[in-house]
Amino acid sequence: MTPTANSQTWADTHESLGVWTRADWQVTAADRLRASVRDDRFTDFAGKTTGEVSYSHRFTKELLAHAKVGTAYRAPAANDLALRYAPRPAAPPGKQYRH
């Protein structure tokens, strides 16, 4: 079988796999703790495992305090891969911290 002009070989494709899970604990009637983790794998570039932890405390029915810390990953855009640009040079490669 001969490939047609519009067909691609397996080597010309891009494949990715991401797995995500989250745990949610109601510690007390007023306190909640959440944790999540995500693992991404790609055929064209390095993957990354990221996570997040958050805590909430309900003082009253109307007042809730919430804190969260986590990591993120910016996968390269199509232009980054096609033109061989590095991900956003202003941020450390593959890492962003948010709070």
Side-chain angles (χ1 to χ4, degrees):
M1 181 172 178
T2 305
T4 64
N6 292 330
S7 69
Q8 293 182 332
T9 65
W10 182 256
D12 294 330
T13 62
H14 168 77
E15 302 294 324
S16 64
L17 173 66
V19 178
W20 176 82
T21 188
R22 180 177 82 182
D24 193 344
W25 297 280
Q26 188 72 41
V27 181
T28 68
D31 298 305
R32 171 175 277 171
L33 183 64
R34 286 186 179 161
S36 64
V37 66
R38 180 181 175 110
D39 185 61
D40 291 293
R41 296 290 167 225
F42 306 92
T43 56
D44 295 21
F45 49 90
K48 185 72 175 175
T49 301
T50 57
E52 180 178 285
V53 176
S54 67
Y55 170 76
S56 299
H57 180 80
R58 182 166 300 279
F59 293 98
T60 67
K61 184 178 177 182
E62 298 82 19
L63 182 61
L64 173 78
H66 183 78
K68 178 170 41 174
V69 64
T71 59
Y73 177 70
R74 179 191 173 272
N79 282 342
D80 295 334
L81 294 173
L83 301 175
R84 305 286 186 218
Y85 289 133
R88 298 182 184 175
K95 283 191 176 180
Q96 295 179 0
Y97 296 101
R98 60 182 189 226
H99 55 279

mmCIF file of all heavy atoms in Angstrom, residues 14-18 38-50 72-76 93-95:
data_model
loop_
_atom_site.group_PDB
_atom_site.id
_atom_site.type_symbol
_atom_site.label_atom_id
_atom_site.label_comp_id
_atom_site.label_asym_id
_atom_site.label_seq_id
_atom_site.Cartn_x
_atom_site.Cartn_y
_atom_site.Cartn_z
ATOM 1 N N HIS A 14 1.717 13.736 16.336
ATOM 2 C CA HIS A 14 1.992 14.189 17.703
ATOM 3 C C HIS A 14 1.000 13.496 18.622
ATOM 4 O O HIS A 14 -0.204 13.558 18.420
ATOM 5 C CB HIS A 14 1.828 15.709 17.794
ATOM 6 C CG HIS A 14 1.818 16.213 19.201
ATOM 7 N ND1 HIS A 14 2.958 16.335 19.943
ATOM 8 C CD2 HIS A 14 0.795 16.582 20.000
ATOM 9 C CE1 HIS A 14 2.635 16.777 21.150
ATOM 10 N NE2 HIS A 14 1.334 16.932 21.202
ATOM 11 N N GLU A 15 1.494 12.834 19.638
ATOM 12 C CA GLU A 15 0.645 12.129 20.593
ATOM 13 C C GLU A 15 0.880 12.675 21.991
ATOM 14 O O GLU A 15 1.997 13.066 22.334
ATOM 15 C CB GLU A 15 0.945 10.622 20.570
ATOM 16 C CG GLU A 15 0.772 9.976 19.222
ATOM 17 C CD GLU A 15 -0.662 9.981 18.730
ATOM 18 O OE1 GLU A 15 -1.582 9.829 19.564
ATOM 19 O OE2 GLU A 15 -0.858 10.143 17.524
ATOM 20 N N SER A 16 -0.181 12.724 22.788
ATOM 21 C CA SER A 16 -0.057 13.177 24.170
ATOM 22 C C SER A 16 -0.967 12.349 25.067
ATOM 23 O O SER A 16 -1.962 11.789 24.616
ATOM 24 C CB SER A 16 -0.406 14.660 24.293
ATOM 25 O OG SER A 16 -1.755 14.869 23.957
ATOM 26 N N LEU A 17 -0.594 12.298 26.339
ATOM 27 C CA LEU A 17 -1.383 11.591 27.338
ATOM 28 C C LEU A 17 -1.313 12.385 28.632
ATOM 29 O O LEU A 17 -0.224 12.774 29.070
ATOM 30 C CB LEU A 17 -0.829 10.176 27.573
ATOM 31 C CG LEU A 17 -1.461 9.385 28.720
ATOM 32 C CD1 LEU A 17 -2.922 9.072 28.404
ATOM 33 C CD2 LEU A 17 -0.678 8.132 28.993
ATOM 34 N N GLY A 18 -2.456 12.653 29.223
ATOM 35 C CA GLY A 18 -2.512 13.354 30.495
ATOM 36 C C GLY A 18 -3.370 12.590 31.484
ATOM 37 O O GLY A 18 -4.434 12.091 31.124
ATOM 38 N N ARG A 38 -1.282 16.176 38.334
ATOM 39 C CA ARG A 38 -1.487 15.916 36.918
ATOM 40 C C ARG A 38 -0.148 15.550 36.298
ATOM 41 O O ARG A 38 0.869 16.185 36.563
ATOM 42 C CB ARG A 38 -2.067 17.135 36.212
ATOM 43 C CG ARG A 38 -2.291 16.887 34.740
ATOM 44 C CD ARG A 38 -2.850 18.107 34.044
ATOM 45 N NE ARG A 38 -2.920 17.846 32.637
ATOM 46 C CZ ARG A 38 -4.043 17.673 31.962
ATOM 47 N NH1 ARG A 38 -5.197 17.742 32.574
ATOM 48 N NH2 ARG A 38 -4.011 17.436 30.665
ATOM 49 N N ASP A 39 -0.161 14.520 35.452
ATOM 50 C CA ASP A 39 1.045 14.098 34.748
ATOM 51 C C ASP A 39 0.751 14.133 33.254
ATOM 52 O O ASP A 39 -0.227 13.538 32.796
ATOM 53 C CB ASP A 39 1.441 12.683 35.182
ATOM 54 C CG ASP A 39 2.749 12.263 34.562
ATOM 55 O OD1 ASP A 39 3.769 12.933 34.835
ATOM 56 O OD2 ASP A 39 2.758 11.292 33.782
ATOM 57 N N ASP A 40 1.565 14.870 32.505
ATOM 58 C CA ASP A 40 1.414 14.987 31.052
ATOM 59 C C ASP A 40 2.648 14.420 30.366
ATOM 60 O O ASP A 40 3.772 14.719 30.765
ATOM 61 C CB ASP A 40 1.244 16.459 30.648
ATOM 62 C CG ASP A 40 -0.085 17.012 31.097
ATOM 63 O OD1 ASP A 40 -1.112 16.553 30.574
ATOM 64 O OD2 ASP A 40 -0.093 17.900 31.965
ATOM 65 N N ARG A 41 2.428 13.639 29.323
ATOM 66 C CA ARG A 41 3.511 13.069 28.510
ATOM 67 C C ARG A 41 3.214 13.362 27.040
ATOM 68 O O ARG A 41 2.076 13.304 26.608
ATOM 69 C CB ARG A 41 3.612 11.557 28.708
ATOM 70 C CG ARG A 41 3.973 11.160 30.107
ATOM 71 C CD ARG A 41 5.406 11.522 30.440
ATOM 72 N NE ARG A 41 5.617 11.414 31.872
ATOM 73 C CZ ARG A 41 6.251 12.310 32.584
ATOM 74 N NH1 ARG A 41 6.732 13.380 32.022
ATOM 75 N NH2 ARG A 41 6.413 12.154 33.870
ATOM 76 N N PHE A 42 4.278 13.668 26.301
ATOM 77 C CA PHE A 42 4.167 14.026 24.889
ATOM 78 C C PHE A 42 5.221 13.286 24.082
ATOM 79 O O PHE A 42 6.290 12.971 24.604
ATOM 80 C CB PHE A 42 4.352 15.544 24.703
ATOM 81 C CG PHE A 42 3.434 16.363 25.546
ATOM 82 C CD1 PHE A 42 3.824 16.787 26.804
ATOM 83 C CD2 PHE A 42 2.170 16.696 25.100
ATOM 84 C CE1 PHE A 42 2.980 17.546 27.594
ATOM 85 C CE2 PHE A 42 1.317 17.448 25.885
ATOM 86 C CZ PHE A 42 1.718 17.877 27.131
ATOM 87 N N THR A 43 4.959 13.048 22.803
ATOM 88 C CA THR A 43 5.941 12.383 21.951
ATOM 89 C C THR A 43 6.967 13.359 21.397
ATOM 90 O O THR A 43 8.070 12.959 21.047
ATOM 91 C CB THR A 43 5.251 11.677 20.771
ATOM 92 O OG1 THR A 43 4.464 12.627 20.051
ATOM 93 C CG2 THR A 43 4.383 10.535 21.255
ATOM 94 N N ASP A 44 6.639 14.660 21.332
ATOM 95 C CA ASP A 44 7.515 15.632 20.676
ATOM 96 C C ASP A 44 8.410 16.429 21.632
ATOM 97 O O ASP A 44 9.341 17.084 21.195
ATOM 98 C CB ASP A 44 6.684 16.648 19.885
ATOM 99 C CG ASP A 44 5.937 16.013 18.747
ATOM 100 O OD1 ASP A 44 5.733 14.793 18.789
ATOM 101 O OD2 ASP A 44 5.563 16.726 17.818
ATOM 102 N N PHE A 45 8.112 16.430 22.925
ATOM 103 C CA PHE A 45 8.864 17.225 23.887
ATOM 104 C C PHE A 45 8.644 16.648 25.282
ATOM 105 O O PHE A 45 7.803 15.778 25.472
ATOM 106 C CB PHE A 45 8.469 18.710 23.839
ATOM 107 C CG PHE A 45 6.988 18.936 23.872
ATOM 108 C CD1 PHE A 45 6.327 19.096 25.065
ATOM 109 C CD2 PHE A 45 6.259 18.979 22.696
ATOM 110 C CE1 PHE A 45 4.972 19.288 25.100
ATOM 111 C CE2 PHE A 45 4.891 19.177 22.718
ATOM 112 C CZ PHE A 45 4.244 19.332 23.914
ATOM 113 N N ALA A 46 9.393 17.158 26.237
ATOM 114 C CA ALA A 46 9.346 16.631 27.598
ATOM 115 C C ALA A 46 7.992 16.887 28.263
ATOM 116 O O ALA A 46 7.381 17.923 28.056
ATOM 117 C CB ALA A 46 10.451 17.259 28.438
ATOM 118 N N GLY A 47 7.557 15.957 29.062
ATOM 119 C CA GLY A 47 6.335 16.112 29.833
ATOM 120 C C GLY A 47 6.636 16.715 31.195
ATOM 121 O O GLY A 47 7.766 17.084 31.505
ATOM 122 N N LYS A 48 5.599 16.792 32.009
ATOM 123 C CA LYS A 48 5.768 17.422 33.318
ATOM 124 C C LYS A 48 4.693 16.892 34.263
ATOM 125 O O LYS A 48 3.574 16.628 33.860
ATOM 126 C CB LYS A 48 5.629 18.935 33.166
ATOM 127 C CG LYS A 48 5.893 19.723 34.407
ATOM 128 C CD LYS A 48 7.354 19.726 34.755
ATOM 129 C CE LYS A 48 7.597 20.633 35.938
ATOM 130 N NZ LYS A 48 8.950 20.591 36.386
ATOM 131 N N THR A 49 5.059 16.768 35.528
ATOM 132 C CA THR A 49 4.095 16.454 36.577
ATOM 133 C C THR A 49 3.890 17.715 37.400
ATOM 134 O O THR A 49 4.855 18.344 37.820
ATOM 135 C CB THR A 49 4.606 15.313 37.468
ATOM 136 O OG1 THR A 49 4.830 14.160 36.648
ATOM 137 C CG2 THR A 49 3.607 14.972 38.556
ATOM 138 N N THR A 50 2.638 18.119 37.578
ATOM 139 C CA THR A 50 2.311 19.331 38.319
ATOM 140 C C THR A 50 1.336 18.985 39.443
ATOM 141 O O THR A 50 0.702 17.939 39.428
ATOM 142 C CB THR A 50 1.678 20.399 37.405
ATOM 143 O OG1 THR A 50 0.515 19.847 36.777
ATOM 144 C CG2 THR A 50 2.661 20.857 36.340
ATOM 145 N N ALA A 72 2.439 24.845 37.509
ATOM 146 C CA ALA A 72 1.785 24.747 36.202
ATOM 147 C C ALA A 72 2.834 24.458 35.144
ATOM 148 O O ALA A 72 4.035 24.601 35.376
ATOM 149 C CB ALA A 72 1.047 26.048 35.884
ATOM 150 N N TYR A 73 2.368 24.069 33.990
ATOM 151 C CA TYR A 73 3.250 23.748 32.884
ATOM 152 C C TYR A 73 2.658 24.316 31.604
ATOM 153 O O TYR A 73 1.483 24.132 31.328
ATOM 154 C CB TYR A 73 3.394 22.229 32.766
ATOM 155 C CG TYR A 73 4.228 21.778 31.605
ATOM 156 C CD1 TYR A 73 5.597 21.986 31.582
ATOM 157 C CD2 TYR A 73 3.649 21.129 30.524
ATOM 158 C CE1 TYR A 73 6.371 21.562 30.526
ATOM 159 C CE2 TYR A 73 4.421 20.699 29.464
ATOM 160 C CZ TYR A 73 5.787 20.917 29.467
ATOM 161 O OH TYR A 73 6.543 20.500 28.414
ATOM 162 N N ARG A 74 3.467 25.015 30.854
ATOM 163 C CA ARG A 74 3.038 25.540 29.559
ATOM 164 C C ARG A 74 3.669 24.677 28.476
ATOM 165 O O ARG A 74 4.869 24.736 28.252
ATOM 166 C CB ARG A 74 3.470 26.989 29.378
ATOM 167 C CG ARG A 74 3.070 27.553 28.026
ATOM 168 C CD ARG A 74 3.743 28.904 27.778
ATOM 169 N NE ARG A 74 3.500 29.373 26.440
ATOM 170 C CZ ARG A 74 4.243 29.089 25.378
ATOM 171 N NH1 ARG A 74 5.285 28.297 25.505
ATOM 172 N NH2 ARG A 74 3.950 29.563 24.188
ATOM 173 N N ALA A 75 2.845 23.885 27.828
ATOM 174 C CA ALA A 75 3.341 23.077 26.715
ATOM 175 C C ALA A 75 3.620 23.994 25.526
ATOM 176 O O ALA A 75 2.941 25.014 25.355
ATOM 177 C CB ALA A 75 2.302 22.026 26.332
ATOM 178 N N PRO A 76 4.603 23.679 24.710
ATOM 179 C CA PRO A 76 4.894 24.526 23.558
ATOM 180 C C PRO A 76 3.714 24.588 22.595
ATOM 181 O O PRO A 76 3.020 23.591 22.382
ATOM 182 C CB PRO A 76 6.078 23.817 22.891
ATOM 183 C CG PRO A 76 6.644 22.918 23.919
ATOM 184 C CD PRO A 76 5.529 22.569 24.845
ATOM 185 N N PRO A 93 11.825 27.791 32.160
ATOM 186 C CA PRO A 93 11.242 26.821 31.237
ATOM 187 C C PRO A 93 10.385 25.779 31.943
ATOM 188 O O PRO A 93 10.837 25.100 32.849
ATOM 189 C CB PRO A 93 12.476 26.152 30.612
ATOM 190 C CG PRO A 93 13.577 27.138 30.811
ATOM 191 C CD PRO A 93 13.262 27.873 32.085
ATOM 192 N N GLY A 94 9.136 25.704 31.536
ATOM 193 C CA GLY A 94 8.225 24.688 32.057
ATOM 194 C C GLY A 94 7.704 24.907 33.445
ATOM 195 O O GLY A 94 7.003 24.072 33.988
ATOM 196 N N LYS A 95 8.017 26.037 34.091
ATOM 197 C CA LYS A 95 7.550 26.260 35.464
ATOM 198 C C LYS A 95 6.885 27.611 35.586
ATOM 199 O O LYS A 95 7.370 28.600 35.055
ATOM 200 C CB LYS A 95 8.705 26.211 36.451
ATOM 201 C CG LYS A 95 9.187 24.837 36.760
ATOM 202 C CD LYS A 95 10.119 24.861 37.928
ATOM 203 C CE LYS A 95 10.524 23.464 38.299
ATOM 204 N NZ LYS A 95 11.432 23.436 39.421
#
